Amino acid sequence: MTTFTRPKLLTSMTAIAALATAGVVHAAGASEPTLTGWALMPAATFADGPTSGQFAGPNPYGTNLPPFAAKQPVQGFSGVLRGPGRDTFRFLVDNGFGAKANSADALLRMYAVSVDLRTAQGGSGTVAAADWVSGRPRAAFDSRTRLTLNDAARQIGIAVQADYSHYYDNPAGIPVDAAIRDARLLTGADLDIESVRRDHRGHYWFGDEFGPYLVKTDAHGTVLRPVIPMPGVYAPENADVLAGTVAPNLGGSGGFEGMAMNTSGTRLFTLLEKVVAGDPQRQLRISEFDVDAESYTGRMWFYPLDAAGTAIGDMTAIDDERFVVIERNGGTATTPSTAPFKKLFLVDLSDLPSGGTARKTELVDLMNLADPHDLDRDGKAIYTLPYVTIEDVLMLDDHTLLVVNDNNFPYGGGRTLASDATEFIRIALPTGLRR
């Protein structure tokens, strides 16, 4: 998130493609990337939980004003995995309201979401809650639809809000909700999780921006070991920086925005959102991590930003050497002085030595996507996705991608001067991704 003021594990891409194909309709004979499915989740979508937004400022538009009594926003999607049923997905919610200082009451969760895309053949263009295990529809985003990160085993190794009687350890402040303390639930003041993958043993790995740290949990979201720092890299919120033992060398909100898993589920590839001090200008680190050894391998590459790009939004694997990366700037439909730049690139590390610069090829311009059936009903044959942050990409099959924005709730300004909705789009590619 951008900082604002205010069942059986599938490890084979072949298996994933086989699952996905049933729900995918290709744009026959498409000569360019084409929108083949669209859905929308309203900004004001909530789940039960502790009161949230008590430290968050209002947006400048006067919509969806915090706090949110006895509920948590189902928003800010920053990572996506395939779900347990057809057309269901598991989405990661990031740290809440955009900063450590305003997200102590925002729980770190993943939600199962059923997506009924509007297509040329039909569909409602709506989304709904789904059972985390079965994928069956649920009437609301209740406890059966989610995973909540927690430190019930007391393994995390850093101070968290559940350690305190009052949020931010301020005796004069608001008491920490009893549910957070009792179950040691993790919040957006503890970690800023922006990416997620599941390994070959069924464990989840979350990429954080405050360390930046890697966080390992079991299948239920319970932290299994102390957070793993990135050697030699320190964000302003890193525990060692806060203790005064080191100086930061990575900008705030610059950590693991992107993270991919190889096809065997044994290697992670982490991608920083910002440049480490001393690294080549406008080049972001891609680092390899050994899941079983729980350590970085020392192999590293650089992702070169486009001239118009300022950050990346997500990274997903095609195979063991090639990836799809979202790249963007901060422009939106409501920023006349900054034209939105939102693109997908194919990134290739094949035959590159450690320290090399990745090769990249444009796949999709998200500001110029063919929409011959006007699936979003805006009266235009070109679809645009102009939100500040677009942080979810999933390969459905060789020719098909799912892309979803992070709406930075309750902030916005992506399409209009109001809180942003969350849009889900399916894109058919004219050329297959596999070799």
Side-chain angles (χ1 to χ4, degrees), residues 110-195:
M110 293 185 70
Y111 290 96
V113 180
S114 175
V115 181
D116 182 25
L117 294 170
R118 180 186 294 150
T119 73
Q121 292 74 36
S124 67
T126 62
V127 305
D131 187 280
W132 180 265
V133 176
S134 70
R136 295 188 182 94
R138 299 287 297 170
F141 284 102
D142 58 21
S143 61
R144 290 182 56 179
T145 68
R146 62 183 179 247
L147 172 152
T148 302
L149 274 73
N150 67 86
D151 187 36
R154 296 180 178 270
Q155 291 293 310
I156 198 164
I158 56 173
V160 296
Q161 296 302 302
D163 294 326
Y164 309 138
S165 60
H166 293 71
Y167 289 115
Y168 297 109
D169 200 20
N170 176 9
I174 301 171
V176 175
D177 190 277
I180 294 174
R181 285 177 53 84
D182 293 347
R184 293 189 60 78
L185 304 180
L186 297 178
T187 78
D190 305 327
L191 298 165
D192 183 3
I193 50 175
E194 297 282 350
S195 49

Side-chain angles (χ1 to χ4, degrees), residues 230 249-250 254 270-287 300-307 309-312 327 349 352-360:
M230 187 177 196
N249 59 359
L250 179 69
T270 62
L271 175 56
L272 295 175
E273 186 175 7
K274 292 183 179 178
V275 178
V276 177
D279 282 356
Q281 292 186 1
R282 300 186 56 76
Q283 296 203 27
L284 309 177
R285 286 193 193 183
I286 301 172
S287 300
M300 179 187 70
W301 304 268
F302 289 102
Y303 174 89
L305 287 168
D306 188 272
T310 59
I312 62 93
E327 188 175 339
L349 303 181
L352 277 182
S354 181
T357 299
R359 298 178 293 271
K360 57 187 284 193

